[in-house]
Amino acid sequence: SKKRNSTRPETGFALVTGASEGIGRAIAVELARWEIPIILVARNVEKLTSLAYDLEACYGVKCCVLGADLSQVDAAEKIHEVTSKAGITVDIL
């Protein structure tokens, strides 16, 4: 498995939308392989929770699950509010 370069600065979280399936899920898996902590976002919290469990078990990466429907006008604002209140720094979108 690939490992991040230990001289590389610590990265904040990557926020992955549509992470419950398809391309979003594939991106989340790839980020986990590089040990980048992830905020998984999609409508299906059950699928996100299962994915988070698998990624944490397989790659030892921190995952946060956030249920959100991005078709809603205020979804991005709510995601920002939740991550800010939790003290989570998002470095990768």
Side-chain angles (χ1 to χ4, degrees):
S1 90
K2 296 178 183 177
K3 296 290 179 190
R4 291 194 311 172
N5 182 338
S6 61
T7 62
R8 203 164 106 188
E10 190 63 31
T11 306
F13 280 74
L15 189 139
V16 180
T17 58
S20 60
E21 58 188 32
I23 294 170
R25 187 181 191 288
I27 290 170
V29 170
E30 188 61 25
L31 289 165
R33 290 180 65 223
W34 285 91
E35 300 177 347
I36 296 171
I38 308 165
I39 303 165
L40 303 167
V41 180
R43 289 176 292 196
N44 190 324
V45 173
E46 186 177 326
K47 283 185 180 180
L48 291 180
T49 302
S50 176
L51 176 60
Y53 176 82
D54 291 345
L55 295 178
E56 288 174 349
C58 291
Y59 302 104
V61 66
K62 171 78 175 145
C63 294
C64 298
V65 170
L66 184 54
D69 182 349
L70 294 178
S71 68
Q72 300 299 311
V73 175
D74 60 348
E77 186 177 307
K78 285 181 179 178
I79 291 168
H80 181 265
E81 182 180 320
V82 169
T83 56
S84 294
K85 282 184 179 179
I88 296 173
T89 302
V90 176
D91 286 339
I92 301 170
L93 293 175

